[in-house]
Amino acid sequence: MAQSDLPSEYVNPQENKKEEEAAMQPKPTTQQRSRACFLKGVSYFAGDMEPFAKWMEKQFFLLQLLDWVLRGAAQVMFVNNPLSGLIIFGGLILQNYWWALNGFVGTLFATISALILQQNRGAIAGGLYGYNGILVGLLMAVFSNKGNWYWWLLLPNIFMSMMCPIVSSALASINSRWDLPVFTLPFNILVCLHMVATGHYNHHFPQVLIQPRSELPNITWAEIDVAKLFMSVPVGIGQVYGCDNPWTGGMFIISLFISSPITCAHAVLGSAVGMVSGLALAAPFGDIYFGLWGYNCVLACIAIGGMFYALTWQVHLLAITCAFFCAYLGSAIANIMSNFGLPACTWPFCLSALTFLLLTTGTNRIFKLPLAKVTYPEKNLRFFWKLEKQEKLEKAEKEKKEREEQQKAIEDEVILNEKEKLRLELERMEEGRGAGDESEGENDKTQVEDHVPVVEQKDTEEEEVKLNDQIEVTLADYV
């Protein structure tokens, strides 16, 4: 009750201090406010859509599950964005309804399997347990020799998709020792397992016949179709999901651009590198037009170019190098696996990307991000800049501390020198004082010796005077 009569400045001094500090801080300019509003608006649909993910945490389970499935569909291209996943499913529907259904079933049951196995909820929400499932479902439908709408194919699709989290978890326990992702290794293992287990001559689940090349391809450079050659770039991006429709590939490019322009640029660049590599190795034009030389290079270029490495111009060149290496490796693996009636799948991408991620170098311009910090290239780059800034501050602080220590050492040395000089001067003064005392003592001694005969002479004179007086007294008495 007593405080109510006091002025407000005495009631809450801390609040007044905060208000004064806030008033002293410079207000953001119009440009800064506009930039902040723009970035906030973009974050609602670009990047990993973090505000949308936080909003989804409060929704009911089926809506969350749909979000996880969409993110899983996009995670094949290292994109954690449900809007991108929705566009990707739109592209799959444009390509083939049956393939799109199998892809959705594969993603759904892979995610449900991860929930049953109680895997990391954050990883499930990010779609990291769904992307292998969509590839398994799609490629099982693509390589099936029964054609579309063979409903019995959903049974092995569901089973193999539910095996994806198990294989992913097993491989993650190995790769985590080197802080490496599992990529699409579970998809490669499970699809090859299914195709080897069934084969071309199977009553229930026959596969398309894949045979090695047995004759020299007829390549006439004059007959090359430049339009199809350029069209092979979006087709190569579409072949990541097994699609050969250029419009589907174009939709995939749009989905990548919405989430991350850097990812989109490296996807196009990787597909172009695959096309050039196919021409350099005299591959059949049909394979190049079909995008078979591009899809592994797309994934390799994205993975190295800003996803698992912080993007610098050195990393950009490294990503292009990895794409070329992946194209050569893809040709070698395709030739080897065709002898067993198997496709190359994404083995070339996995092997080349893992090789380049194990690279060791002395330069700090090729910085491999910790796996727990990997999000999308733009955010990875901001994290790298933040680390650089922090390192510069620490370095400056360390140099300042070293300079202060050196200055202190110099000052201490000067003080010690002054103390030593002062000590020497004091010693000299003490030595001079001791010498002076000795000389004074000798002088006193000589003066005492000089005074002794005078005293003795005086004593003899006094005795003679007394003796004379006594003689005079005796003589007077006698008279």
Side-chain angles (χ1 to χ4, degrees):
M1 295 296 291
Q3 287 184 353
S4 60
D5 298 328
L6 292 174
S8 60
E9 59 188 40
Y10 294 103
V11 176
N12 293 320
Q14 294 182 353
E15 292 182 3
N16 292 330
K17 188 177 180 181
K18 289 180 181 179
E19 290 177 0
E20 289 176 0
E21 290 178 355
M24 290 175 64
Q25 291 178 355
K27 294 182 179 180
T29 61
T30 306
Q31 185 178 359
Q32 289 176 340
R33 287 198 300 269
S34 302
R35 183 173 179 271
C37 291
F38 174 75
L39 292 175
K40 185 178 180 181
V42 168
S43 67
Y44 285 112
F45 62 88
D48 53 5
M49 291 180 65
E50 188 176 356
F52 181 77
K54 291 180 180 179
W55 177 78
M56 285 298 297
E57 291 176 358
K58 301 175 183 178
Q59 307 307 311
F60 59 94
F61 175 73
L62 290 179
L63 197 59
Q64 289 183 4
L65 185 61
L66 179 62
D67 176 59
W68 301 342
V69 168
L70 293 176
R71 290 178 185 270
Q75 278 285 7
V76 177
M77 303 283 248
F78 306 101
V79 170
N80 182 13
N81 189 305
L83 180 58
S84 298
L86 187 63
I87 296 172
I88 286 169
F89 269 117
L92 293 175
I93 292 171
L94 180 64
Q95 172 73 37
N96 188 298
Y97 292 103
W98 173 243
W99 293 3
L101 176 62
N102 278 270
F104 180 80
V105 169
T107 315
L108 176 63
F109 280 91
T111 305
I112 291 173
S113 175
L115 289 169
I116 294 171
L117 294 171
Q118 296 185 357
Q119 297 297 304
N120 183 272
R121 196 61 176 261
I124 296 172
L128 295 178
Y129 285 100
Y131 70 93
N132 279 295
I134 189 174
L135 290 177
V136 167
L138 282 170
L139 272 297
M140 285 178 68
V142 169
F143 291 119
S144 174
N145 207 28
K146 283 285 188 176
N148 296 335
W149 308 110
Y150 181 64
W151 294 99
W152 290 107
L153 185 65
L154 292 177
L155 295 177
N157 180 358
I158 292 170
F159 175 73
M160 287 297 178
S161 299
M162 295 187 75
M163 287 295 297
C164 286
I166 298 174
V167 180
S168 295
S169 180
L171 291 174
S173 64
I174 299 171
N175 288 12
S176 60
R177 298 179 182 179
W178 297 278
D179 201 31
L180 294 173
V182 297
F183 289 132
T184 54
L185 287 173
F187 149 71
N188 291 322
I189 294 169
L190 293 170
V191 166
C192 289
L193 174 64
H194 171 72
M195 294 185 71
V196 170
T198 54
H200 178 65
Y201 304 101
N202 187 280
H203 288 290
H204 299 297
F205 307 108
Q207 309 300 317
V208 295
L209 183 62
I210 299 174
Q211 292 179 330
R213 193 184 304 164
S214 59
E215 59 182 5
L216 191 67
N218 185 16
I219 297 176
T220 306
W221 290 99
E223 296 179 357
I224 191 169
D225 192 334
V226 178
K228 287 185 177 179
L229 203 62
F230 281 101
M231 201 178 292
S232 68
V233 173
V235 171
I237 295 173
Q239 279 290 0
V240 173
Y241 293 86
C243 302
D244 61 347
N245 189 331
W247 293 104
T248 298
M251 291 183 70
F252 292 168
I253 292 173
I254 293 171
S255 70
L256 294 178
F257 184 80
I258 287 173
S259 176
S260 169
I262 294 175
T263 299
C264 179
H266 281 90
V268 174
L269 186 61
S271 186
V273 166
M275 178 260 291
V276 172
S277 300
L279 293 174
L281 290 177
F285 292 151
D287 292 350
I288 298 174
Y289 299 154
F290 201 59
L292 297 180
W293 278 82
Y295 70 96
N296 276 301
C297 301
V298 168
L299 294 173
C301 198
I302 292 173
I304 303 302
M307 183 56 64
F308 295 96
Y309 282 110
L311 185 63
T312 58
W313 68 266
Q314 293 92 337
V315 169
H316 181 66
L317 295 178
L318 189 68
I320 296 173
T321 306
C322 182
F324 275 110
F325 175 74
C326 183
Y328 276 71
L329 185 61
S331 178
I333 291 177
N335 290 333
I336 293 171
M337 297 191 72
S338 62
N339 293 309
F340 302 97
L342 295 173
C345 295
T346 56
W347 286 108
F349 149 64
C350 292
L351 296 178
S352 59
L354 288 173
T355 301
F356 274 70
L357 286 177
L358 288 170
L359 173 71
T360 56
T361 177
T363 177
N364 58 356
R365 304 305 298 171
I366 300 178
F367 175 73
K368 181 177 175 292
L369 292 156
L371 199 58
K373 296 294 182 181
V374 172
T375 50
Y376 56 94
E378 287 79 6
K379 194 171 181 179
N380 295 340
L381 193 56
R382 288 198 295 270
F383 174 74
F384 175 64
W385 287 341
K386 186 178 179 181
L387 283 181
E388 273 194 333
K389 187 177 179 181
Q390 187 176 354
E391 286 178 0
K392 286 179 181 178
L393 290 173
E394 290 177 355
K395 187 177 180 181
E397 188 177 351
K398 186 178 179 181
E399 290 177 353
K400 182 180 178 182
K401 190 175 180 181
E402 288 178 354
R403 286 196 300 269
E404 289 177 354
E405 289 178 354
Q406 290 176 357
Q407 185 68 23
K408 188 177 179 182
I410 293 169
E411 291 175 357
D412 291 342
E413 188 175 356
V414 169
I415 292 170
L416 287 173
N417 291 335
E418 290 179 355
K419 287 182 177 179
E420 186 68 20
K421 288 179 181 178
L422 185 60
R423 187 181 64 81
L424 292 174
E425 289 179 1
L426 289 173
E427 287 181 355
R428 290 196 195 101
M429 290 174 65
E430 288 177 357
E431 288 177 358
R433 187 182 296 171
D437 293 340
E438 289 179 358
S439 60
E440 288 178 1
E442 290 177 357
N443 292 333
D444 293 340
K445 187 176 181 181
T446 52
Q447 289 177 2
V448 169
E449 289 177 354
D450 292 338
H451 286 294
V452 168
V454 176
V455 172
E456 290 178 353
Q457 185 177 1
K458 287 181 178 180
D459 292 339
T460 53
E461 289 178 355
E462 289 177 356
E463 289 177 356
E464 288 178 357
V465 170
K466 287 180 179 181
L467 182 60
N468 291 330
D469 290 338
Q470 288 178 359
I471 293 171
E472 290 177 356
V473 169
T474 52
L475 286 173
D477 292 338
Y478 181 75
V479 175

